[in-house]
Amino acid sequence: MSETWWRGAAIYQVYLRSFADGNGDGIGDLAGLRSRLPYLSDLGIGAIWLNPWYPSPMADGGYDVADYRDIEPSFGTLAEAEQFIEEAHALGIRVIIDVVPNHSSDQSAWFQEALAAGPGSAARERFWFKDEPNDWKSIFGGPAWTQVPDGQWYLHLFAPEQPDFNWTNPEVHQEFHDVLRFWFDRGVDGIRIDSAAVLVKDFDGGDPEGYTDLAEVHDVYRSWRRLSDEYDERLLIGEVWFPDQERFARYLRPDELHTAFNFDFLGSPWDPAALRASIEQTIATHVPLGAPATWVLSNHDVVRPVTRYGRANTSWDNGNRRDGVPSDLELGYRRARAAALLAMALPGSVYVYQGEELGLPEVEDIPDELREDPMWHRSGHAVVGRDGCRVPLPWSGDETPFGFGTGNPWLPQPEAWKKVTVEAQQADLGSMLNLYRTALHLRREWLVGGGITWLDLGPEVLAFTRESGLTCVVNLAADPVRLPPHESVLLASGSIEGDELPSDTAVWLRTT
């Protein structure tokens, strides 16, 4: 079986609620997404990854799944989802969907059955019900246990509306095998696995050792790999957050997941030594396993790069978001452009989170009463959460909703976004949108396959060549640096005068 399409793919992440609204209710949906497929095709991406699109009470933006075999009514219907898959495939675009194996929604049929059945029932054995809770804390803040009226407690590593599955129960294993088949049979090309490392629980261990990266979790993914291998070219990608590369690599063994997100690169500061170390470590981890690396700058959980790279501390840490810390957005914008060319020049697949190609900053002034992220509520309003990177996209026009739809968006858009709409940027050859579009198309020609060879242009410059003859140079020094010998400039993130590359600028050179 060929396993090629994801090795060099450019994958575009769609947060459906915020992408495009087709029916005017202020919420993004499948009709809106389908209407924008030509935009994505023209952008040059090869696959779309969608965040959960299933029926959900939306306690956590859809990651509280009530039914895996249907579509959230505010997004559309199952028939529309099947039509979207068909239309995407007709444009040469693959489709990846989210699966959330750690937990359910408290409104799911299984959990409602468990509540009604009572202590000791088979229905409760699908989840973690205990007579006495331990001291584990929720990842979203507060205790990880909630008591039900009959006195028992159930585990939820995230929000109380997200009860954790009991992965020692064979019914849970069979349910997810059936779910994967349901969507593979409908033409879905890949599965992104949410919170992939925390499924298995050990209540005799500590916190977080009691639920993070236990050995039995790998048995789950070996069984998923055997299932996916029954289909043609189906991808499994894990959301795995580990600084320890040895533990990370276990998920990429030949009989487990095909790829996993590279959060070390995403979290690296705008620093040449840190970025080079991350790149070298990533390649060294993946090459022996025969797995493609992934390069990610942002997603629906992370402060947008334009804001992050404009701060004094440009690194990213999920546990220390530094919300509200001042940012020089002009500097951040320049660095985000350079970072995009760096990420796209590296071997493997690259992910683009919606709005990244528009250079959108984090929206940090959302009124408190409009915030929806459970992080905000569970932290006692101490953590503003992730709403700021989930604000609906601006497509056109001079006033809200900027072509997102005809109704008021579910989160408010800044008035300043009239300058960064798709419409405004299409007419500007120097825009972030046109930088991404040009880079993604050049990437298909120059940057699929092969490794990198580093060039020494000084300690504050990242420079490497690809086997195609393309050289990428990124200047992180305070002063301009001289470019190496080359035939022509293919693309630059900023203006270049002569052979001098300005600070915080990246360039792709043709060298052969």
Side-chain angles (χ1 to χ4, degrees):
M1 182 183 70
S2 172
E3 295 183 347
T4 57
W5 70 264
W6 56 81
R7 291 189 170 275
I11 301 168
Y12 188 95
Q13 181 189 353
V14 168
Y15 191 76
L16 197 51
R17 295 181 81 194
S18 300
F19 187 71
D21 173 16
N23 64 6
D25 65 357
I27 298 172
D29 49 35
L30 282 167
L33 173 58
R34 289 172 54 213
S35 73
R36 300 294 184 179
L37 278 174
Y39 165 81
L40 294 175
S41 178
D42 182 60
L43 185 61
I45 56 97
I48 294 170
W49 156 38
L50 293 105
N51 292 95
W53 57 357
Y54 316 102
S56 170
M58 294 292 168
D60 183 23
Y63 282 89
D64 47 322
V65 177
D67 182 358
Y68 266 114
R69 296 170 179 83
D70 207 348
I71 296 296
E72 163 60 33
S74 64
F75 294 158
T77 65
L78 181 58
E80 281 185 277
E82 292 171 339
Q83 191 170 359
F84 156 71
I85 294 169
E86 182 179 342
E87 291 172 355
H89 285 172
L91 291 170
I93 297 173
R94 309 271 186 161
V95 175
I96 302 167
I97 62 171
D98 240 309
V99 167
V100 190
N102 180 68
H103 49 262
S104 174
S105 164
D106 63 350
Q107 300 303 305
S108 68
W110 267 16
F111 193 73
Q112 289 298 306
E113 181 185 353
L115 291 179
S121 63
R124 288 210 173 177
E125 288 300 314
R126 297 165 176 160
F127 302 91
W128 288 114
F129 280 87
K130 300 284 187 180
D131 292 328
E132 296 290 338
N134 64 12
D135 60 356
W136 287 359
K137 301 299 181 184
S138 164
I139 293 169
F140 284 167
W145 298 87
T146 291
Q147 192 171 31
V148 299
D150 58 40
Q152 282 202 311
W153 301 74
Y154 69 88
L155 176 69
H156 51 87
L157 290 186
F158 295 88
E161 296 87 354
Q162 295 168 290
D164 280 33
F165 286 115
N166 174 5
W167 276 89
T168 68
N169 190 320
E171 285 188 76
V172 174
H173 288 260
Q174 187 60 51
E175 169 69 2
F176 277 91
H177 280 202
D178 292 347
V179 165
L180 264 60
R181 289 191 187 280
F182 181 89
W183 289 108
F184 284 155
D185 288 344
R186 280 159 178 77
V188 163
D189 302 284
I191 302 292
R192 179 264 189 186
I193 306 163
D194 181 70
S195 300
V198 300
L199 276 57
V200 179
K201 312 300 190 292
D202 175 9
F203 294 99
D204 295 325
D207 183 5
E209 289 78 9
Y211 57 77
T212 300
D213 190 36
L214 300 187
E216 294 81 358
V217 78
H218 296 282
D219 296 331
V220 174
Y221 299 130
R222 289 189 185 99
S223 72
W224 287 24
R225 179 62 177 266
R226 289 192 294 271
L227 189 157
S228 72
D229 283 349
E230 296 176 19
Y231 294 80
D232 185 39
E233 294 192 310
R234 297 306 202 269
L235 166 68
L236 299 175
I237 179 167
E239 182 196 26
V240 183
W241 293 79
F242 286 136
D244 184 336
Q245 288 295 296
E246 181 178 347
R247 295 169 72 190
F248 176 85
R250 293 172 190 160
Y251 290 81
L252 299 176
R253 289 176 288 198
D255 61 345
E256 293 194 41
L257 306 181
H258 299 90
T259 66
F261 284 111
N262 180 9
F263 293 113
D264 182 77
F265 181 75
L266 182 154
S268 292
W270 189 246
D271 173 83
L275 285 167
R276 176 161 177 164
S278 179
I279 293 166
E280 290 180 334
Q281 179 176 262
T282 297
I283 293 173
T285 298
H286 286 76
V287 167
L289 296 164
T294 62
W295 307 102
V296 187
L297 295 178
S298 64
N299 62 35
H300 64 292
D301 290 331
V302 175
V303 170
R304 287 193 176 275
V306 168
T307 298
R308 193 167 77 245
Y309 287 138
R311 291 174 174 168
N313 184 338
T314 55
S315 65
W316 170 255
D317 180 353
N318 231 7
N320 181 13
R321 297 175 53 87
R322 292 186 286 278
D323 295 309
V325 172
S327 176
D328 180 342
L329 295 183
E330 182 178 343
L331 175 63
Y333 181 81
R334 190 163 67 248
R335 289 173 170 174
R337 290 173 65 94
L341 292 195
L342 171 62
M344 285 191 240
L346 293 165
S349 58
V350 64
Y351 282 75
V352 177
Y353 174 50
Q354 65 180 48
E356 184 183 313
E357 81 278 18
L358 302 178
L360 299 182
E362 188 83 356
V363 181
E364 299 188 284
D365 59 353
I366 297 172
D368 290 350
E369 65 273 14
L370 297 180
R371 295 189 182 278
E372 294 198 9
D373 192 342
M375 282 187 172
W376 166 251
H377 300 289
R378 294 279 292 171
S379 68
H381 301 170
V383 179
V384 300
R386 302 159 294 177
D387 291 325
C389 65
R390 300 176 178 184
V391 174
L393 295 189
W395 291 93
S396 60
D398 292 328
E399 57 186 26
T400 187
F402 298 119
F404 172 71
T406 57
N408 290 326
W410 68 279
L411 285 174
Q413 302 159 306
E415 291 184 9
W417 276 13
K418 65 183 179 183
K419 298 179 180 179
V420 292
T421 65
V422 171
E423 181 182 55
Q425 295 201 42
Q426 282 176 332
D428 178 4
L429 294 179
S431 69
M432 182 76 90
L433 175 58
N434 278 314
L435 177 75
Y436 266 75
R437 181 182 287 128
T438 303
L440 288 168
H441 284 274
L442 284 172
R443 187 176 180 275
R444 288 181 171 182
E445 177 183 356
W446 287 87
L447 295 167
V448 175
I452 68 172
T453 300
W454 289 102
L455 302 177
D456 184 6
L457 298 183
E460 296 185 286
V461 179
L462 298 176
F464 55 86
T465 60
R466 297 291 304 273
E467 292 178 12
S468 63
L470 183 145
T471 293
C472 176
V473 183
V474 188
N475 181 16
L476 292 91
D479 299 316
V481 297
R482 182 167 293 279
L483 292 173
H486 58 278
E487 292 184 6
S488 62
V489 173
L490 292 172
L491 184 62
S493 66
S495 298
I496 299 177
E497 296 184 5
D499 285 338
E500 296 287 312
L501 184 66
S503 176
D504 295 320
T505 305
V507 64
W508 290 357
L509 305 172
R510 179 174 182 170
T511 53
T512 59

